[in-house]
Amino acid sequence: MNSKIWLSSPHMGGNEMKYVQEAYDTNWVAPLGPNVNGFEADLQKYTGTKHAAALSAGTAAIHLSLILLGVKAGDEVLASSFTFSATVNPITYVGATPILVDSEAETWNMCPIQLEKAIKDRIAKGRKPKAIVVVYLYGMPGKIEELLAVANKYDIPLIEDAAEALGSRYKGKSMGTFGKFGILSFNGNKIITTSGGGALISDDQELIEKSRFLATQARDNAPHYQHSHIGYNYRMSNIVAGIGRGQMEVLEERVAQRRANFEFYKELFSDISGVSLQEEPSKDFFSNFWLTSILIDPSKTGGVTREEVRLGLEQENIECRPLWKPMHMQPVFEACAYYGNGVSEELFEKGLCLPSGSNMTVEERNRIKLALLKVFKK
Ligand SMILES: *Cc1c(COP(=O)(O)O)cnc(C)c1O
């Protein structure tokens, strides 16, 4: 059996161990230290945000952003329906109710028209939403100008779930720096990884300082342990942050490698009818192409379905995965209000994420190519 080709696997740059060794040698083996500070500085420089807090996970960053915006039990929060559950779960951690919004067909991210429709309807029901969580799937920036215009019109703060979009930009500005907060993830399969981890970014110094306070058990300034707020244990470890510093040195290279994967697939599918890719709608959009994703339309492929492609690749020991199953279709969220017109359902039905690791070899690409050509009988 051929060795497994993964959807996206960790890809170390080489200097990670230097930072980890430094932490070990200086005994900074704690959820604070020079690597945590250095990693935060690297993130600020790279994204252009004024402030960043390194945390234990992207999910923790979303949770803290909601707390910092004052979202409380009984409130409503708007969120992209077409996403990974970690975008929406934290809304329930604060006792609020998710209100799910569909995607538009161009970027696959939150539809500004459906967003406004949802806001108007919630306001008419006397329940103005407290925040909006927008996601950028597979690295593709959403229609952020339109989304921001709607958010500003109704004065609702925007949180950008840029967990998959580190290195992506709109008109040259990093995703995660448009809203009140951006969140990043460094989980094992993301474009760079610290094994696990996340960050909260914002231009608001006070809020980021408060996030660090809440993330370290909310200890008041006193010689004894004094608490006037509920705290969390959400800070990033100094060991893990060392991996992050090494990874930041190669992030631009990783973006280029993932973009090259996209070009490889685009070329490959140029003579297969019925397959389209998630593509940048214009030069304003710059995706890190974390995962190259396709839609398969059986009415144009001569009957070949998404499932056949998935199984065909699986047979060759090549990992691939259907697109995210929308949250409004998930048993755990099906009671939530949903505003949409079928875009994300169709994406889920026809879509597939293809192997997109930055460490993919020429030989692996050839195997993928042959497997795909076999499925499409080319
Ligand atoms: C990975 C991911 C998260 C969660 O990040 P963790 O660091 O794994 O907690 C949130 N949202 C999206 C869209 C993700 O892909």
Side-chain angles (χ1 to χ4, degrees), residues 313-333:
L313 290 174
E314 200 174 83
Q315 206 169 49
E316 302 294 330
N317 210 16
I318 299 166
E319 188 185 26
C320 60
R321 201 179 292 156
L323 302 186
W324 298 121
K325 181 174 181 180
M327 291 304 116
H328 70 274
M329 296 169 75
Q330 299 284 356
V332 71
F333 294 123

Side-chain angles (χ1 to χ4, degrees), residues 119-135:
I119 294 173
K120 280 186 174 160
D121 190 54
R122 299 327 285 177
I123 291 175
K125 291 183 162 71
R127 303 186 49 82
K128 184 178 166 182
K130 288 286 157 60
I132 306 167
V133 190
V134 165
V135 71

Side-chain angles (χ1 to χ4, degrees), residues 221-261:
N221 198 4
H224 53 276
Y225 278 76
Q226 173 83 17
H227 302 277
S228 43
H229 295 272
I230 298 294
Y232 302 85
N233 184 7
Y234 279 173
R235 203 68 163 117
M236 180 179 276
S237 144
N238 194 56
I239 297 287
V240 151
I243 304 176
R245 289 180 85 181
Q247 288 274 277
M248 285 304 286
E249 294 180 7
V250 292
L251 174 53
E252 268 314 276
E253 216 177 297
R254 298 293 176 263
V255 172
Q257 286 155 333
R258 301 247 179 188
R259 288 181 63 85
N261 288 336

Side-chain angles (χ1 to χ4, degrees), residues 162-308:
E164 302 176 2
L166 179 60
S168 301
R169 299 185 268 277
Y170 178 77
K171 290 188 175 171
K173 188 171 156 64
S174 289
M175 304 325 289
T177 65
F178 289 88
K180 188 74 192 161
F181 288 107
I183 81 102
L184 304 172
S185 169
F186 313 107
N187 207 326
N189 60 357
K190 299 285 154 70
I191 189 156
I192 61 166
T193 180
T194 60
S195 69
L200 184 63
I201 66 176
S202 176
D203 284 342
D204 190 320
Q205 181 172 0
E206 204 182 310
L207 287 178
I208 293 297
E209 277 171 6
K210 209 165 163 198
S211 78
R212 293 195 188 103
F213 166 78
L214 292 174
T216 49
Q217 308 288 20
R219 281 183 65 188
D220 293 344
N221 198 4
H224 53 276
Y225 278 76
Q226 173 83 17
H227 302 277
S228 43
H229 295 272
I230 298 294
Y232 302 85
N233 184 7
Y234 279 173
R235 203 68 163 117
M236 180 179 276
S237 144
N238 194 56
I239 297 287
V240 151
I243 304 176
R245 289 180 85 181
Q247 288 274 277
M248 285 304 286
E249 294 180 7
V250 292
L251 174 53
E252 268 314 276
E253 216 177 297
R254 298 293 176 263
V255 172
Q257 286 155 333
R258 301 247 179 188
R259 288 181 63 85
N261 288 336
F262 171 81
E263 293 301 331
F264 158 72
Y265 285 116
K266 193 171 154 74
E267 164 80 32
L268 175 57
F269 289 118
S270 63
D271 10 283
I272 297 175
S273 56
V275 178
S276 59
L277 293 94
Q278 183 193 34
E279 292 196 58
E280 294 159 338
S282 77
K283 291 273 177 245
D284 290 337
F285 295 77
F286 180 88
S287 176
N288 67 9
F289 283 112
W290 170 56
L291 297 183
T292 294
S293 303
I294 56 171
L295 297 178
I296 298 149
D297 182 349
S299 72
K300 295 186 187 136
T301 55
V304 179
T305 62
R306 190 277 306 277
E307 221 21 39
E308 280 165 20

